Amino acid sequence: MGKIYNKNTFLLLFVIAAISLNLRLGITSVGPLMDSIRTSLSLSNAQASLLTTVPVLCMGIFASLATVLNKKYGSKFTLILMLAVLGLATAVRGFLPGFSTLLITAFLIGLAIAVLGPTMSAVIKKYFPGHAAIAIGISTFFMSMGSAASAALTGIFFEVSDSYMFALAIWAVFGLFGVLVVAFVLKTGANSKLPKQNVSEVKYNFPSPWKQFTPYLFMLFYALQAALYFSTITWLVPMSVENGMSMIQGGMLLSAVMSVQVIFNLLLPIMMEKYPARRNWIYFILVSGTIATLLFWTGDHTLMWIGAFMMGIPLGGLYSAALMLPLDETVTADGANSWTAMMQTGGCILGGLFPFVIGFIYDGTQNHNYTMSILLAIYASAFILITIIGNKKEKNYDDYIVKPSDN
C-alpha cells in the first residue's frame, strides 16, 4: 500500500471541501428568512416549508441518477455539471422574484445535491478505502461550515439589502468556486497522481442493495436524521421569534446549532474509527438531542441557548453516522455509491416530508408544542432503530467473488 498522505491527497481533500461547502447552502439559507419570505409573498406556513421540503424530496428521488451519470460520464464531469446547476439555480433567485421561482430553483438545488452526495461517497471510497472516516469528516465539516455561515449571515444580508432575493442569491458564489476547483484541481483518469488504493484486485458481484435487508434499516435511519435536521433548520428561527426573539437573534441561535454541528461532523467519524462501537456513540448523540429539544421547549431564552448548543450534537453526529453506515458495509466504490444512493433515495423522501407536515400542523394549531412532540418522537424512533442495527459486523464476502474464466 502506497503512501496515503501527500500533496495530491491534500489537493483531493481540498476538492472535497469545496464541493461540501455547497451541499446545504441552498436549503439552510431559507430557514432564517422563512417568516420574511412568507410575509412578502403572502404564503401559508405549509407553502413556505415547501422551499425546504422540495429540495430534500429531490435529494431522495434523484439520488440514483448519480450511479447512471458516474458510469456514463465519470465522476469529474458529474461533479462539475451538478455544481454548475446548483450555482445557477441559486443565482437565479436574485433576479426573478416570486414563489414559483423559489420552488423551481429549490427543485434544481435538490437535484444537484442528490447527485453530488453519492458521487462524493464513491470518490471517497475509491481514494480513501481504509481511511474513509477522515474524508467523511472533512466533507461534513465543510458542509456544516457552509450551513453555519448561511444561518448567521443570511439574516444580516437581508437586513442590509432589505431583499430576501439578494440574501438567497449571494450564496451562488460558492457554486462557481466549486466548479473552478473541480475543473482545475481534480485530476482523474490514467494520468492521475491521486493516491488511489486498491484494497483488493478481487472482483465482486454483489446483489443490489434493494434486494437486501440491511440497507432498508440504513434508509430508515437516514430518514430520521434528515427529518431532524431539515425540520430544525426550517422551524428553529420561527419558533425562536414566536418565543420573543428577533429574526437576527433567531438566526444567531441557529448559527450556534450549526457551529456545534461543525465540530461533531468532524469529530464523530474520527472517534468512530478509533473506537468503533458506533451504537454507543449514537446513543449519546440521541440523548443529547432529546435534552436539547426539552430545553428549547421551555421557551426560556437562557435555556434555549443552552439547548441550541446541545442541538448541534445530533444534527452533526447523526449525519456523519448515517454516511458511515454504507461505507462500513461495502468493499468497493460502486457498492458505496449504490448503497448511499439507495439510503438517500428513501431517506430523503421520508425525512423531507417532515418540515411540510410541521408547517401544515402549525397552520391549523398555531402551536409549536406539536413541533416539539414530533421531534421527540423522531429521537425515540431513532433510538429503537439503532438498537436493531447495532455495531459494525465483520463479514465474509468470499461467496460474492467473481472467479476468473478458464478460457
Side-chain angles (χ1 to χ4, degrees):
M1 185 178 292
K3 185 179 179 181
I4 299 172
Y5 298 106
N6 55 37
K7 176 183 176 182
N8 295 300
T9 304
F10 289 111
L11 285 176
L12 180 57
L13 290 175
F14 175 63
V15 171
I16 291 173
I19 298 169
S20 300
L21 277 171
N22 289 278
L23 293 182
R24 292 294 180 269
L25 288 176
I27 303 175
T28 55
S29 58
V30 171
L33 300 178
M34 184 67 71
D35 284 339
S36 299
I37 293 173
R38 183 175 56 81
T39 301
S40 298
L41 301 177
S42 300
L43 306 174
S44 68
N45 286 284
Q47 286 176 310
S49 70
L50 288 175
L51 302 181
T52 300
T53 294
V54 167
V56 180
L57 290 177
C58 289
M59 287 166 60
I61 294 170
F62 296 105
S64 298
L65 184 61
T67 303
V68 177
L69 292 176
N70 276 282
K71 286 183 177 180
K72 188 169 184 179
Y73 300 108
S75 59
K76 181 173 181 177
F77 177 84
T78 301
L79 290 171
I80 292 174
L81 176 62
M82 290 299 108
L83 284 168
V85 170
L86 184 63
L88 289 173
T90 304
V92 165
R93 291 178 163 182
F95 297 95
L96 299 177
F99 184 53
S100 59
T101 296
L102 292 177
L103 276 182
I104 293 171
T105 55
F107 173 87
L108 293 173
I109 288 169
L111 169 64
I113 296 174
V115 176
L116 288 170
T119 303
M120 285 266 292
S121 292
V123 170
I124 289 172
K125 187 67 179 181
K126 181 176 182 180
Y127 295 110
F128 298 94
H131 301 267
I134 303 297
I136 288 291
I138 294 294
S139 174
T140 52
F141 174 81
F142 280 94
M143 184 184 71
S144 299
M145 287 286 288
S147 299
S150 66
L153 299 177
T154 300
I156 296 175
F157 289 146
F158 173 75
E159 292 290 336
V160 171
S161 64
D162 194 29
S163 169
Y164 76 83
M165 296 170 60
F166 173 81
L168 292 176
I170 188 66
W171 302 106
V173 296
F174 288 97
L176 175 60
F177 174 70
V179 169
L180 294 176
V181 169
V182 174
F184 294 104
V185 178
L186 181 61
K187 306 295 183 183
T188 58
N191 297 324
S192 173
K193 295 182 180 180
L194 292 175
K196 176 181 177 181
Q197 293 178 272
N198 295 314
V199 177
S200 174
E201 295 297 330
V202 177
K203 293 183 178 180
Y204 294 91
N205 183 26
F206 293 109
S208 166
W210 295 96
K211 297 179 180 180
Q212 303 179 61
F213 176 70
T214 301
Y216 285 95
L217 296 178
F218 294 175
M219 179 194 296
L220 289 176
F221 185 80
Y222 192 93
L224 294 175
Q225 73 80 27
L228 288 169
Y229 181 87
F230 292 108
S231 296
T232 301
I233 65 171
T234 301
W235 293 111
L236 185 65
V237 175
M239 285 189 292
S240 303
V241 172
E242 186 180 84
N243 283 308
M245 291 186 173
S246 68
M247 185 179 71
I248 296 295
Q249 288 174 321
M252 295 307 295
L253 196 71
L254 181 59
S255 180
V257 175
M258 297 293 105
S259 297
V260 177
Q261 178 194 349
V262 169
I263 298 172
F264 274 84
N265 274 152
L266 182 62
L267 180 63
L268 185 71
I270 298 173
M271 297 303 292
M272 287 180 68
E273 184 176 79
K274 187 173 180 64
Y275 306 102
R278 66 187 178 198
R279 183 169 59 183
N280 294 337
W281 286 110
I282 297 174
Y283 282 160
F284 162 72
I285 292 167
L286 294 174
V287 169
S288 300
T290 301
I291 295 173
T293 303
L294 292 172
L295 289 175
F296 204 89
W297 202 347
T298 65
D300 180 87
H301 288 193
T302 300
L303 294 179
M304 287 170 65
W305 276 103
I306 296 173
F309 282 103
M310 293 187 67
M311 202 174 288
I313 297 175
L315 263 61
L318 290 178
Y319 178 75
S320 297
L323 288 184
M324 288 295 296
L325 292 177
L327 296 183
D328 281 346
E329 299 291 334
T330 57
V331 294
T332 65
D334 287 342
N337 192 335
S338 61
W339 277 53
T340 302
M342 176 197 170
M343 181 179 73
Q344 185 172 308
T345 297
C348 286
I349 291 173
L350 294 173
L353 292 173
F354 278 81
F356 174 78
V357 170
I358 290 173
F360 181 79
I361 292 174
Y362 184 71
D363 278 333
T365 64
Q366 295 299 305
N367 190 334
H368 274 303
N369 286 333
Y370 293 95
T371 303
M372 294 302 179
S373 298
I374 291 171
L375 293 179
L376 289 175
I378 296 173
Y379 280 113
S381 300
F383 193 96
I384 295 171
L385 184 58
I386 198 60
T387 301
I388 297 172
I389 292 174
N391 292 317
K392 177 181 177 180
K393 302 175 183 67
E394 296 298 328
K395 295 183 179 180
N396 187 338
Y397 297 103
D398 291 350
D399 292 340
Y400 300 102
I401 295 176
V402 178
K403 297 180 180 179
S405 174
D406 294 333
N407 296 332

